Amino acid sequence: MKKRNLSIIKWVFLEAVKKTGYEADPDQIHVEKIKEFRFGDFSTNIAMLLANKEGKRLHEMAAEIVKHTKSDLFEKVEVAGPGFINVRLEQKFYTSEASEWLDDFDGYLKDFFNLTEKKRAVIDYSHPNIAKPMGVHHLLSTVIGDSIKKIYQRFGWEIISDNFIGDMGTQFGKLMHAIKRWGNMQEIEKNPIPALQKLYVQFHMEADKEVELDDEGRAEYRKFEEGDKESRKLWNKIVKWSLLDMQQIYDRLGVRFDHMNGESFYEDKMQVVLDEGRKQGVIVDGEGGSWIIKPDDPEDVPVLVRKSDGATLYVTRDLARIKYWQEEWSPDLMLNVVDVAQSFHFRQLIFAQRKLGLTPARNEHIAFGRMQFADGQMSTRKGNILLLMDLLDESEKRALTLVNEKDVELSDNEKRELARIMGIGSVKYNILQQSRTTNITFDWDRMLSFEGNSAPYLMYTVTRAKSVLRKAGLKPRDCRKHSLDLDLDIERKLMIQLMMYPDTIRRASEEFKPNHIANYLYELAQDFNSFYNGNSILQAESKDLKASRLMLTALTILVMEDGFKLLGLEVPEKM
Ligand code: ARG
């Protein structure tokens, strides 16, 4: 496979290291762009790695590597700071990269990632609960999970999405009991979700007064678990209604799943897990006839996999899921994009799965924080449940106001379509642009603005770039035979930022963090805008310069559009 992009730089240094007689681990070598780029284009940590390993003086190590570095692609190589090695590359290097990139974008990225074997991941995200409206944490999981899926696909993996919907659990017993007691089937059929929601709330209110109600709900659930025909029928209806409701949200978000194996799918798949665990002696008797897996450290809590009354638990269904994933797909990686509040559950799950030997795959809990609303920004109309539909409506409405304020030549229909793309895109981008490991703030004014790190800003930038090529009557690929002229600082800066894209994808997938892509795109958009505002492209001083600038514009479009795809954003035609 051909070496491309930053891996060429890495390769040149690895060759130099070979000549010094030392050995470096390619996976630990990083090539980063230099912020103060008058010091060079890229810098590498290779000397630090080796000096540490060999116990040599950093400066000497760096000098030795530089002495052996030979490449006609490098205009300048020098030791900088405490022991970084900085390089500045010849224009011809950028030209040949840019042409190949424009010629075959997919192939270019594939060569860079250089996956030698087929890798497969399975991912669970979204997983709302049936018979309840989707919560904000489900929105976060949906948006983050879907982006991780797309990033992995881009990275060259096969990735299967399987939505572990919560379609079991005692809430069903309660709801079924409430339907029987206060519900009117005809009315529910008309508008199921709010009707069911009301009944659920009513149940909880009445249960405060009438303590027996909880027991009755549990009894109802037991009937269902034992396979009572009537409860099964009612349950089927509830599931069907809820799925229709969820589908509307998925359609608006443009999210699709390969599978929707909810908790009930595993009902008949838990017993073997339990039986095998018993046989292995991993699952043992706990208190009062329950079944548990003992922790390694006796101070820790055991994992309860079967209650004393014989009932299974959430963790038991998750264990059956892991066994099923393994048998069905034998993946290299399993991902669970779930609220940080469930960290304890996942620690127990991953521990139990390991003890039971259910899979050799790496299994990761991809945790994310809470959504924090800027004060007074979220109207929670129906009780204190925030309906996602309302949130999306509100975002599109605000986007339309923004579009109308702007002086754009669009028909009313085009404006509405743009507002839809911007509204949905802003909700997604706002989530993805923040690090998932901290709380995620939600602020309409910041999200829906043409300035700053926002979806409208990025969308505006890419349509701007596209209109340049449109005016020139070119498609990005048409610009591949040009040659780059990076005399101006901003041109060079833009090209260097473009070159960082493949490595950003790699990093985002390795860390399961779409915010690396989002923030990368924001920087790229800023660079492109400075380039665009400060220089004329179509009216450049010479034909060659115009061709070079068109090439930079074409690359920006390709990268921005690709990055948008990874974040699940649509690109508007005109703005
Ligand atoms: N349905 C659950 C909830 O809403 C989340 C499921 C998470 N996924 C999992 N594999 N446990 O809390």
Side-chain angles (χ1 to χ4, degrees), residues 363-429:
N363 191 6
E364 285 283 330
H365 173 205
I366 311 299
F368 55 84
R370 287 278 150 79
M371 180 100 104
Q372 263 170 349
F373 294 96
D375 271 352
Q377 289 223 336
M378 254 359 270
S379 49
T380 50
R381 283 203 276 129
K382 325 251 153 75
N384 44 19
I385 299 145
L386 168 66
L387 296 182
L388 292 193
M389 276 297 186
D390 293 347
L391 182 105
L392 299 181
D393 287 346
E394 178 75 18
S395 192
E396 287 188 22
K397 208 180 84 195
R398 285 174 185 257
L400 189 60
T401 313
L402 202 64
V403 170
N404 283 330
E405 277 167 12
K406 213 164 173 287
D407 185 25
V408 282
E409 278 173 43
L410 296 175
S411 71
D412 281 353
N413 266 341
E414 286 172 328
K415 280 186 183 169
R416 261 195 302 278
E417 175 62 1
L418 177 58
R420 185 190 64 76
I421 294 176
M422 267 170 53
I424 302 291
S426 296
V427 169
K428 287 188 176 184
Y429 186 78

Side-chain angles (χ1 to χ4, degrees), residues 20-166:
T20 62
Y22 303 120
E23 232 177 281
D25 174 4
D27 288 339
Q28 292 198 327
I29 301 170
H30 296 298
V31 177
E32 305 271 1
K33 76 169 187 185
I34 299 176
K35 290 242 154 57
E36 280 280 340
F37 73 102
R38 60 196 161 96
F39 296 126
D41 300 346
F42 298 98
S43 119
T44 170
N45 62 341
I46 193 164
M48 295 177 172
L49 274 174
L50 275 185
N52 271 342
K53 203 174 112 199
E54 306 290 340
K56 279 199 72 166
R57 274 228 168 82
L58 184 51
H59 229 79
E60 279 166 27
M61 181 58 90
E64 206 176 331
I65 297 172
V66 167
K67 204 175 78 199
H68 288 94
T69 304
K70 278 201 182 47
S71 168
D72 58 355
L73 301 175
F74 290 7
E75 190 184 301
K76 200 170 75 182
V77 190
E78 59 193 16
V79 183
F84 283 106
I85 300 177
N86 291 353
V87 291
R88 188 178 156 99
L89 291 141
E90 295 282 357
Q91 261 175 203
K92 66 173 187 218
F93 164 76
Y94 290 116
T95 294
S96 79
E97 289 300 300
S99 334
E100 301 201 27
W101 197 334
L102 287 170
D103 187 37
D104 176 11
F105 191 80
D106 285 343
Y108 183 90
L109 289 177
K110 223 179 255 154
D111 285 351
F112 176 76
F113 298 135
N114 188 20
L115 281 190
T116 40
E117 47 196 316
K118 262 255 139 270
K119 294 271 195 183
R120 180 188 281 163
V122 190
I123 184 168
D124 162 42
Y125 62 93
S126 192
H127 40 241
N129 299 317
I130 299 274
K132 284 189 194 173
M134 260 195 227
V136 173
H137 62 292
H138 297 125
L139 174 71
L140 296 184
S141 172
T142 309
V143 170
I144 296 169
D146 201 50
S147 177
I148 291 178
K149 176 180 171 183
K150 290 174 164 134
I151 292 169
Y152 265 81
Q153 275 166 343
R154 196 16 128 194
F155 195 40
W157 284 49
E158 178 193 356
I159 180 160
I160 299 163
S161 55
D162 188 5
N163 191 344
F164 189 65
I165 287 178

